[in-house]
Amino acid sequence: MRSRHLFAPHLALATLALPATAAPVAYEPFDYAPGSDLIGQDGGSGWTEAWRHRSSSPGVSPRIVADSLSYTDAAGGSLITSGGSLDTQNGTATSIAFRGIARRTTETWISFLMLPTANGDFVGLTVFDGGDDNAANSRFGVEQRQLGQRSVTLVNSEPVPGASILAQPLHTAPAGETIFVVIRMTPGEGTGGQDRLDVFYNPLLGHAPATPAGTLSIVPGGFDRVRIAATNGRSAGYDEVRIGDSYPDVAPFDALVEEPGPDGLTPGQRAILGLDPGIPHTALAEAIRANPEFLGLFRREQFLDQPGAFVMEAPESGPVPFSFRIRGSTDLKEWTSLQTIDRPTSLPDGKSFFRVTFGNR
């Protein structure tokens, strides 16, 4: 038998609830003197060492620049930033910088700002495990690998036979536009029990992104260091590197205070729900299911918490045999049955509840 839920109406419109401030496991704002080398700097928090050269073929150090990169999402929220930023270009040589972190093997979120100005060659932020050798220790990252100007992708740096190397499609930024890059590593959720990697470009800051721009599977393992590098003196900007246990850890933001429009929704709520003619209705429906409080709706688990709600058993076919009895009393002790009303009700396919409203006429 299938259960059908009957629930009381809910009329209040909830406001957007923003997540509490969270702290990253490691954070690098590049708050160093403009013009200085990155190698040897030890600011930020959560790292196990200062920035350093690669143990072999060290190359040159990336340089610090004064201006911080920034990002504002489609709902008007602004990523919290501080300090300066990093430019990979330091002459015409290859620039490389590593920094260690306590080894990560659990679900991990990584975020950073990237300004991909280079044309061709290699530019990227990559994580390594157990050493600095590109072939033996590199794991994954978001990189530009001769992909074309300002085009980046999620990369599996240690492909096994038959494994995908690049997550398609590529993301190409307009000239001068910063990308807010977010990577999620989920152990055991990839193909055949491998680790799953998801990448998101420019997601909303107030809600964890659900639909990745690209996905890869990678052999199980973790990482214990971050590398930023660029070959042949190529230039790219980096800023606000964060590593954490959850999306709020790596996406702190200042929310835009907005007034609701005629429909009762703020511009930020409309952006989250995907109220755009170019977005399929299926995506809108999923967004509403994920954020029912915007429209004063209930999640399934909330239906039976409402006054007057109860569960009826539905037959395998035909209408739901709904009926109710009206009683009256002159002394509030004895109640006489005045009328029984039967209203068999057919529910549309896929629906599991209906609402009854009582009122005076």
Side-chain angles (χ1 to χ4, degrees):
M1 303 294 285
R2 295 171 295 171
S3 296
R4 302 295 187 180
H5 292 178
L6 171 68
F7 65 97
H10 179 66
L11 302 178
L13 177 66
T15 57
L16 175 62
L18 301 177
T21 300
V25 173
Y27 173 48
E28 175 57 88
F30 299 107
D31 189 10
Y32 308 118
S36 61
D37 285 348
L38 178 63
I39 298 300
Q41 306 288 1
D42 62 356
S45 60
W47 306 94
T48 60
E49 61 180 357
W51 287 98
R52 59 176 176 79
H53 283 297
R54 184 168 58 185
S55 54
S56 62
S57 303
V60 299
S61 173
R63 303 294 298 275
I64 303 300
V65 296
D67 295 332
S68 181
L69 300 181
S70 63
Y71 171 66
T72 300
D73 69 11
S78 298
L79 185 72
I80 296 174
T81 63
S82 64
S85 61
L86 182 72
D87 189 343
T88 57
Q89 188 176 58
N90 188 358
T92 59
T94 294
S95 63
I96 305 175
F98 278 89
R99 196 170 194 188
I101 183 175
R103 190 165 185 264
R104 301 287 303 179
T105 57
T106 57
E107 179 174 340
T108 299
W109 293 74
I110 304 168
S111 77
F112 57 92
L113 295 174
M114 180 180 184
L115 181 60
T117 57
N119 185 6
D121 289 323
F122 174 93
V123 176
L125 184 149
T126 311
V127 300
F128 282 59
D129 188 38
D132 300 348
D133 185 86
N134 290 348
N137 305 110
S138 62
R139 295 282 286 149
F140 61 88
V142 169
E143 305 169 351
Q144 175 180 305
R145 292 187 170 194
Q146 296 81 32
L147 301 174
Q149 190 170 16
R150 301 185 303 277
S151 293
V152 298
T153 189
L154 177 68
V155 174
N156 176 356
S157 298
E158 52 169 29
V160 295
S164 297
I165 299 175
L166 307 179
Q168 303 292 344
L170 309 181
H171 179 80
T172 300
E177 181 176 296
T178 298
I179 308 171
F180 179 47
V181 179
V182 179
I183 307 171
R184 177 177 60 197
M185 179 185 78
T186 311
E189 294 297 323
T191 303
Q194 294 186 317
D195 291 351
R196 176 185 170 114
L197 305 174
D198 297 309
V199 64
F200 309 88
Y201 301 113
N202 299 333
L204 291 170
L205 295 167
H207 289 255
T211 305
T215 297
L216 289 174
S217 293
I218 189 171
V219 295
F223 65 92
D224 64 0
R225 64 200 71 190
V226 172
R227 184 197 69 181
I228 297 176
T231 56
N232 301 320
R234 296 299 186 183
S235 175
Y238 286 90
D239 201 1
E240 301 300 316
V241 178
R242 292 180 171 95
I243 300 172
D245 296 319
S246 67
Y247 183 64
D249 291 348
V250 302
F253 71 104
D254 290 321
L256 177 67
V257 178
E258 302 171 314
E259 293 296 328
D263 57 1
L265 299 175
T266 67
Q269 289 173 333
R270 292 190 201 97
I272 292 167
L273 293 176
L275 297 179
D276 187 306
I279 296 179
H281 289 170
T282 52
L284 172 60
E286 289 302 319
I288 291 175
R289 289 190 183 100
N291 302 276
E293 64 275 11
F294 291 179
L295 304 176
L297 302 176
F298 289 127
R299 299 179 187 274
R300 288 181 179 274
E301 62 271 16
Q302 295 174 303
F303 290 157
L304 293 177
D305 291 335
Q306 304 307 307
F310 59 91
V311 175
M312 297 185 300
E313 295 297 329
E316 292 297 332
S317 62
V320 178
F322 175 64
S323 66
F324 57 93
R325 181 179 301 169
I326 299 175
R327 296 188 179 192
S329 175
T330 59
D331 57 10
L332 301 183
K333 294 182 179 179
E334 295 183 3
W335 294 82
T336 301
S337 179
L338 302 178
Q339 186 179 5
T340 298
I341 299 176
D342 293 306
R343 290 289 185 269
T345 303
S346 297
L347 299 181
D349 290 341
K351 302 301 182 183
S352 60
F353 63 89
F354 65 98
R355 180 173 61 193
V356 175
T357 302
F358 298 93
N360 296 325
R361 292 196 291 178

